[in-house]
Amino acid sequence: EAGVVQSPRYKIIEKKQPVAFWCNPISGHNTLYWYLQNLGQGPELLIRYENEEAVDDSQLPKDRFSAERLKGVDSTLKIQPAELGDSAVYLCASSLDSNTEAFFGQGTRLTVV
Amino acid sequence: DAKTTQPPSMDCAEGRAANLPCNHSTISGNEYVYWYRQIHSQGPQYIIHGLKNNETNEMASLIITEDRKSSTLILPHATLRDTAVYYCIVRVYSGAQKLVFGQGTRLTINP
């Protein structure tokens, strides 16, 4: 069974440019999470979806970040415009539902120059 | 969610048991203890979770004290591939399901 798939694996962009990350969760998983991980720190939740509904986006900086999960399967996370401080690893995870363990993808390492 | 305290780093010899402690003195009765690990350049990997009783699976054992204020993750025969950052997390089983990661313990397995 395929795990959580994220792309791209690495991304380097100039500041003020837009960037998008894509996540394909494990088949049948209704809950999807986006996490941000700064160097040397544990992951921090940005947003959680239950099917296509964003049920916890309190930590998502809405002035520049947006996310969608239109059909309740794949999801994209966008930053526009990117800032130097956005350099980090962006992790996607999924779980069968909100009561079961989450499985993580390998993440997208973003470098903003 | 209750806060957890873990040592920042630990070393263990290959083939020996690695015992990773976690303090969660403010844990509530409906909070589970979860363990994840993160190998370099990979996403976190679920290991095990428990509420009151000790748990064992193919990866590890989880020992929770009777008062539930601390727990220990045991890797019975550590290998070099177990070198990773290990996160102990307490989490309510229902309602908001946010996993709150701390700094974790960086475990190094030495040959």
Side-chain angles (χ1 to χ4, degrees):
Chain A
E1 178 183 327
V4 176
V5 179
Q6 292 187 246
S7 69
R9 189 82 170 86
Y10 303 92
K11 188 74 176 179
I12 301 174
I13 62 169
E14 294 184 343
K15 62 181 179 182
K16 301 185 182 179
Q17 294 302 305
V19 64
F21 314 124
W22 176 79
C23 173
N24 181 227
I26 293 172
S27 178
H29 280 197
N30 296 318
T31 306
L32 184 145
Y33 313 79
W34 282 103
Y35 280 82
L36 162 71
Q37 186 171 26
N38 288 305
L39 188 64
Q41 305 293 315
E44 302 169 40
L45 181 71
L46 288 173
I47 190 168
R48 174 171 67 97
Y49 282 92
E50 296 293 343
N51 298 302
E52 64 274 10
E53 182 182 358
V55 296
D56 183 357
D57 63 355
S58 56
Q59 302 303 310
L60 190 72
K62 298 180 183 62
D63 57 336
R64 298 183 299 108
F65 286 65
S66 64
E68 60 183 15
R69 193 185 184 199
L70 292 177
K71 296 183 179 179
V73 180
D74 294 2
S75 177
T76 56
L77 177 69
K78 298 178 182 177
I79 309 175
Q80 182 171 12
E83 297 178 352
L84 294 177
D86 296 331
S87 295
V89 175
Y90 292 83
L91 293 159
C92 179
S94 70
S95 59
L96 275 172
D97 55 47
S98 57
N99 290 326
T100 56
E101 61 269 22
F103 295 86
F104 284 78
Q106 289 198 311
T108 296
R109 181 176 296 277
L110 173 68
T111 302
V112 182
V113 297
Chain B
D1 294 323
K3 183 179 177 181
T4 63
T5 304
Q6 298 177 254
S9 64
M10 292 182 62
D11 285 84
C12 179
E14 187 179 18
R16 303 298 293 268
N19 298 297
L20 292 93
C22 179
N23 286 323
H24 30 78
S25 58
T26 60
I27 192 169
S28 301
N30 62 346
E31 288 183 313
Y32 284 67
V33 180
Y34 278 75
W35 284 83
Y36 279 76
R37 74 179 182 183
Q38 189 170 23
I39 296 170
H40 183 62
S41 296
Q42 296 184 23
Q45 177 189 22
Y46 166 79
I47 301 174
I48 199 168
H49 74 279
L51 181 63
K52 296 181 184 177
N53 300 321
N54 298 336
E55 302 288 344
T56 296
N57 63 19
E58 65 278 4
M59 290 182 68
S61 295
L62 174 61
I63 309 297
I64 303 174
T65 58
E66 193 169 343
D67 63 7
R68 304 208 323 121
K69 293 186 176 181
S70 64
S71 60
T72 301
L73 180 75
I74 301 172
L75 308 177
H77 304 287
T79 70
L80 297 179
R81 285 178 290 185
D82 291 322
T83 292
V85 177
Y86 287 76
Y87 296 99
C88 170
I89 302 162
V90 293
R91 176 192 190 197
V92 177
Y93 195 65
S94 60
Q97 296 307 301
K98 183 165 55 178
L99 283 172
V100 180
F101 289 82
Q103 302 272 42
T105 295
R106 181 171 298 278
L107 175 67
T108 301
I109 306 301
N110 300 307

